[in-house]
Amino acid sequence: MEADHQPASSDVGGTNLLVFRKIMSEINDSLRPFFSPDGVAVIGASATPGKLGYGVIANLIKSGYQGPIHPINPKAGEILGLPAYPDIDSAPDPVELAVLIIPAPAVPDALQACARRGIRAAAILSGGFAETGPEGEVRQREILTIARQHDIRLIGPNGVGVLNPHSGLNTTFIEQIPEPGDIAFLSQSGALGGALIDWARGQRIGLSYFASLGNAADVTETDLIRALADDPNTRVIAAYIESVHDGPGFMDAARRVTPRTPIVVLKAGGTQDGARAVASHTASIGGSDEAYSAAFKQTGVIRAHSVQELFDTAIALAYQQPPAGSRVAILTNAGGPAALAADALARNGLQAPLPDEASRAALRAALGSAPQLLNPIDLLGAASSPEYETAARILLQSDAYDAVLAILVPNTANDPAGVAEALARAAAATNKPLYACYMGDVSIREGRRRLHQHRIPVYDFPKNAARAIANARRWQIVRESPPRTAAPQNLELYADIVAELAKKSDLGQKYVGEAELYPLLERLDFPMPSWTAAYAKADAVAFARTHAGPFALKVLSPDLVHKSDVGGVALNVSAERVGQTYWDLQAKVRRRARKAGLQGVLVQEMARPGVEIIIGMRRDPTFGPMLMFGGGGVYVEALRDVAFRIAPFDAEEARAMIAETVAGRLLMFGARGRVPGDVDALVRLLQLVAGLALAAPMLREFELNPVIVHPAGQGATVVDARAILG
Ligand code: ADP
Ligand code: MG
């Protein structure tokens, strides 16, 4: 597997690659016993049917595990015909994996015993750890310490264990295991994992591996993703994730894995960030779900939004080559479903173009004049298996298409199982992907079974098929242009500023006002108009005399975060009116916000005209600094025309981020007589903010709102900024 590993990122080259491989193989060696152990001991095995410790032994036997199985039980005796041992020390060699199903307080001692016995892998099924509260947390730390001391890797606690249908390893309570296949499935919820495995069996979806991570005290989703990328049985990694344990580590692993093994993730949403700060727009719009989406996007991970989509996508990727382009031929025996399919394909960014002349002629010659040869290619209700086969062959060979979606609606005149065989024959003759959508239930079960058998992905509804095809297409794009890692920035540049922010933060300061913040930003070459903080009318007037007007005047107060909301901003003020406006602002604010600690007035040159956008940063607890780019400046919350990325990212990624928004596309391409904006300046600004966020861990939120973007070549101007420490 390692031999065909493609360096996924620019920093993986030469010696780094060698180091990386060494680390990989060390990690994977330590996890191997969880995949194919030579000998399993079940600590807490029971002779009483109905007990979990009985079920695990029964399942190990039933699933056909070939190595020795050692039940451990103080009463010894015999369990399901196997000799039981009173303790792990007396169990004979070999034992590579210990499965623990004993009460939590007994786990530390049992682990110590495993260590003495030379066991280096333990799946802890017992609950009663971090999931139960502080006492459990202490216990979880205790077992982790023991594991680290003795080089033991742990899966769990509080999980259901692991399952390898290829080797018959089943340490779970799940009785019926799926067929061996090439989809690995990781789950942070044991219960959901059990339900999905049962469902996969019904759907005849084969699995290469299943692991329930439980509390993931030691082995995390990231470790297993790394290991599974090298598992020869695994073609696709599917995961149900509630939270990623180590954001940067996950991103690093995913970046390296996705170009060779696709990763599809169902992430439970609705995660609470605790009390969400409202001081910045970025924090109010960009929560942890946006951070996950950004992290997945940047690392080539495909995000599924339902259990159905997770597996629909997994089989598309496991069974077929991904489409080389986005043009799909819809082959059908029914008009309505085909129309729905065309809609769904379009909604998912795919196309359904008309057949080219050559294909149309070939179809006409083979099928006669009855079928409609547009797209859909409609064979009509009674379409026979040979008709499906002939048409599928022609379409799969056609240069006009990158994939074929064959839809079948059952009726008395057709033969769903026969069509399945026909489609399989057509698919076998080419590398181009063929997908099927069999609508209905009772009369198509056999047809579906055969499609699965022949590795033709089959879907219930056109919408599901379209989503899965689009996701498969996404993976092909990841393969063609693997996720990049940004070259490390020189954070030295920010050192002085970081030191000053750190000082403020250490003194408990939360909010950094304009007058304190702007000098720091200017030192970093943020493009800003000339300004002064005036604490007397004379200061304001003096500034106006020596600078080109007109001016923007704004109240300076730590209590007024949104200055224009209280009438605290005056724009286009001529030099002559600066003095009067100074008093007007003071008076107005004193009236409206009596309690605000008014400090003075910011006098700023007006920026040249341009388009207002917002750039923000919020530090995500999992992934670190997340940047936001958005259209509409102050209207960003209403418009939600925003894109997110986790820092660091390179210029190309910054450009992709800008292009994800309507405002960004308008800036790039211009519209209705509006000239394109200076996108390069925005890219530089995004990277400057990313660098600052990476260098200054005490910077919790940061926002430039608005940035005024001038025509291409003329730069951008930051006219308002705020920083929140914490
Ligand atoms: P706040 O966001 O606290 O209400 P801003 O400083 O962002 O205050 O000012 C409000 C709006 O005024 C900005 O969104 C922008 O449209 C305009 N504005 C502020 N300063 C300038 C400036 N120097 N040049 C041009 N327009 C400005
Ligand atoms: Mg503002």
Side-chain angles (χ1 to χ4, degrees), residues 221-222 244-253 295 299 620-624 646:
E221 59 290 338
T222 301
V244 160
H245 290 84
D246 161 20
F250 174 87
M251 288 184 74
D252 181 56
T299 57
D620 182 76
T622 304
F623 295 103
I646 308 294

Side-chain angles (χ1 to χ4, degrees), residues 52-74:
L52 296 177
Y54 176 89
V56 169
I57 298 285
N59 286 349
L60 270 169
I61 296 171
K62 187 172 163 191
S63 58
Y65 173 65
Q66 293 298 308
I69 305 167
H70 303 303
I72 310 293
N73 182 306

Side-chain angles (χ1 to χ4, degrees), residues 613-615 627-630 641-643 657-658 661 664 667 682 686:
I613 59 94
I614 175 173
I615 290 177
L627 268 74
M628 179 178 87
F629 174 86
D641 178 31
V642 289
M657 179 184 187
I658 295 168
T661 63
L667 282 171
L682 283 181
L686 279 166

